[in-house]
Each structure stands twice: as C-alpha cells, then as structure tokens.
Amino acid sequence: MAQLIPIPHYFIPTLLCCSVFILSGCNDDNINSTPIPEESIQATEEPAQAAEESDPSLAIEEDNCDVDNFQLLDFTPWQRENGYWVGEYTLLGADGTPQVSSRWPYRYDNYKGFIHLEVIGNAIKQRNVFLYPPKLAELCDATTEALGNGQCGINGNEKIFSADQKATDCSGNISGPFESFGMTLDTNTTLIGDDTVLYQVRMPDGSIMQNQLTTLPPNDTRVRTAQGFFSGNSTYASYYRERKVTQEEFFQLLAAARVEYNILETDHCGYDNTNQPSQTTCDEHFGLDLSAE
C-alpha cells in the first residue's frame, strides 16, 4: 500500500486557511477547484490504460462482487505489501533541495521509516513511525528550539502516522478518508499489474494533492516516489527505499535507530503528522505489547 507522505510544514498555513474556508469561507483562490495540468492528466490516464491491460483473472465481475466479504490478499500486490517495512527516506522541497522546516527542526535529507501494513479481509490498516536525525549543530541558533525535552543539534525526534482504506471494488482497488488540519481528504489506491500501485490524494475541491507511485519487485523490497501539489504548483517530492523484515527485526531496528539519532524516550511516538503531541503511546499506536519486545 502506498502511504500518504506527511504534509510538509509550509502546507500548514495554507491548509489551515482551507479548513477555515470549509467552515466560514477563506479567499477566492480556494473557492474554485484547480484544473489538473495537462501533464497530470496524461499521468493519470496512462495507469488507467495499464490497469485495463492487466491480467483479467484478477478482477471479478461486478454483478458477482461482494465488497464486504472481499479478500485483498487474493491479489499479488497486497500479498507483497502486507507486513513490516523499514526504509531510508528523503523529502525534497519545491526547489529540489532537502526540505527544511522551522516547525520541525530535524533533517529530511536522510531519515528512517518503520511501517506496519496489515491486510485484513477487504481492508488495510497502516501504522507508521518516522525517525529524524538531529539538525546539524552549526545550523542551530538561539531561535531554533527542538521539540520536547531535546536539544537542537543533539537530539533527533519522531512522529507517527495512521491510515486505513477499504476495497471499493473487486479488482483490488481501495480508498478511504484522511483527516488533516480540519479537512477530510480523499485517498484512492489503484493496482496496476502485480508490481505497481498508484496512490492519489485529493483536496476537498477535487484538485490533486499527491501522486505516489510504488514499485514492488518480487524480492521483499519496494520503492516509492511521490509528487506533492497545491493549486497546481509542485510543492515537494519524495524518494523512499524500503525492505520487508520480520516483526522481531522491525522493533530491533527501530530501537537501534532511536539510539543512532539520540531520540529521548519521552519523544517515542510523541508527535503526529501535524507536528503536534500525538496523545498516544507506541503500544497504542501499533496495537502491540511493545513492552515485551
């Protein structure tokens, strides 16, 4: 399953404006839906064509489709996606250089991710935690404050992410809402053959916010790249490289990364994708008894 990449810091004022608009109106720039550029239209049409050319045995006749009792694990991509993943991530800003955030004073050039993706019947449950190394000490100043009890240039930090999707048909495609900054965003995931997954996120006005492509070669690895947009303009891009591991390896590597990034125990799973306190523990987030690990 492709995952929605955490919204970069510079989306916060704009998205807050949009969420206010939903309730009481914002500015005229947000009233009308944004036309998708011709390049984006072509990009979305091509996967659709590829899907039509995929193995027809994967799809079930709509007349015989029972979505409520559908098994996503009947499809090769979901068999490959199901499980525990660890990865190396890079997030680039609109100018093509590693993202820099004043609200999240940690590094985006090379950070780590730990994802548990569980396929249950016709649904997928996703629980992530992303770990960020400390900001370079020479870039810290009196105005740069680390979150929690850490110190800029010394301690890294982490934040969690959750998402759930369900089957929308009997062809293996899924969708679900994603709540962020007071808005409900539509997410749709489309299978394109056995090794490719297209994940899309749209703003409430229908305009594209993210296009993410996942490639799943049959060797327990995956590569994900995403393009972010707002009002038709490119805002970020990402490059994720991941490998599937056992549950035991997952938590061993998570513990090792926390030591490597000098993340305080009080910050474990401590923040959400909006950089606010998560109000939960790692045990609750993953739904597992991590104390036994």
Side-chain angles (χ1 to χ4, degrees):
M1 175 185 180
Q3 285 87 32
L4 174 65
I5 290 172
I7 301 172
H9 77 286
Y10 45 78
F11 263 12
I12 294 176
T14 309
L15 290 181
L16 286 176
C17 178
C18 288
S19 62
V20 172
F21 162 68
I22 294 172
L23 299 176
S24 61
C26 193
N27 58 54
D28 291 340
D29 292 337
N30 294 318
I31 293 177
N32 298 318
S33 63
T34 305
I36 301 176
E38 182 177 347
E39 296 82 5
S40 298
I41 295 175
Q42 181 178 0
T44 56
E45 287 176 346
E46 290 176 355
Q49 181 179 2
E52 293 172 359
E53 296 172 354
S54 63
D55 186 353
S57 64
L58 290 178
I60 298 175
E61 292 292 337
E62 289 301 320
D63 290 344
N64 300 320
C65 178
D66 182 2
V67 175
D68 291 337
N69 296 301
F70 187 67
Q71 299 297 315
L72 289 174
L73 284 176
D74 289 341
F75 290 81
T76 298
W78 298 132
Q79 295 170 15
R80 295 179 182 175
E81 293 260 32
N82 187 47
Y84 290 86
W85 297 87
V86 299
E88 299 285 340
Y89 302 155
T90 299
L91 180 65
L92 305 178
D95 62 357
T97 62
Q99 170 66 16
V100 176
S101 169
S102 60
R103 297 179 178 85
W104 187 253
Y106 306 96
R107 291 166 55 190
Y108 283 96
D109 58 332
N110 192 352
Y111 60 105
K112 298 180 187 294
F114 297 82
I115 297 173
H116 181 210
L117 199 153
E118 185 177 10
V119 181
I120 309 170
N122 71 340
I124 291 183
K125 175 183 176 182
Q126 175 191 323
R127 299 294 181 263
N128 309 351
V129 57
F130 297 99
L131 276 60
Y132 303 80
K135 196 177 184 72
L136 295 176
E138 58 267 27
L139 299 179
C140 294
D141 56 36
T143 64
T144 307
E145 295 185 4
L147 279 68
N149 298 317
Q151 299 180 50
C152 182
I154 296 178
N155 302 106
N157 216 321
E158 61 188 69
K159 50 188 171 182
I160 61 174
F161 172 86
S162 302
D164 299 289
Q165 290 185 307
K166 282 190 173 183
T168 55
D169 55 33
C170 289
S171 297
N173 304 316
I174 58 178
S175 67
F178 178 73
E179 303 293 332
S180 185
F181 298 104
M183 296 184 299
T184 300
L185 307 177
D186 291 327
T187 70
N188 291 279
T189 303
T190 305
L191 300 187
I192 306 172
D194 286 346
D195 55 14
T196 306
V197 177
L198 177 66
Y199 174 83
Q200 295 183 308
V201 184
R202 295 189 178 275
M203 296 291 287
D205 65 1
S207 61
I208 190 71
M209 175 183 154
Q210 184 186 119
N211 260 334
Q212 182 179 157
L213 184 70
T214 298
T215 301
L216 292 157
N219 59 0
D220 287 338
T221 66
R222 66 178 186 173
V223 175
R224 297 188 286 129
T225 54
Q227 304 168 358
F229 298 90
F230 190 77
S231 295
N233 297 314
S234 174
T235 54
Y236 65 85
S238 68
Y239 179 38
Y240 288 5
R241 295 84 66 201
E242 298 162 315
R243 62 188 178 92
K244 184 180 283 191
V245 298
T246 65
Q247 178 180 321
E248 181 180 7
E249 289 176 304
F250 181 87
F251 290 110
Q252 288 175 344
L253 292 169
L254 175 57
R258 284 168 167 163
V259 172
E260 179 184 351
Y261 290 170
N262 199 20
I263 297 175
L264 301 178
E265 185 174 353
T266 53
D267 288 329
H268 291 181
C269 295
Y271 297 90
D272 62 20
N273 68 301
T274 65
N275 305 336
Q276 298 300 311
S278 66
Q279 308 292 335
T280 190
T281 66
C282 289
D283 296 61
E284 294 169 337
H285 177 60
F286 284 106
L288 299 169
D289 182 8
L290 301 189
S291 62
E293 297 297 328

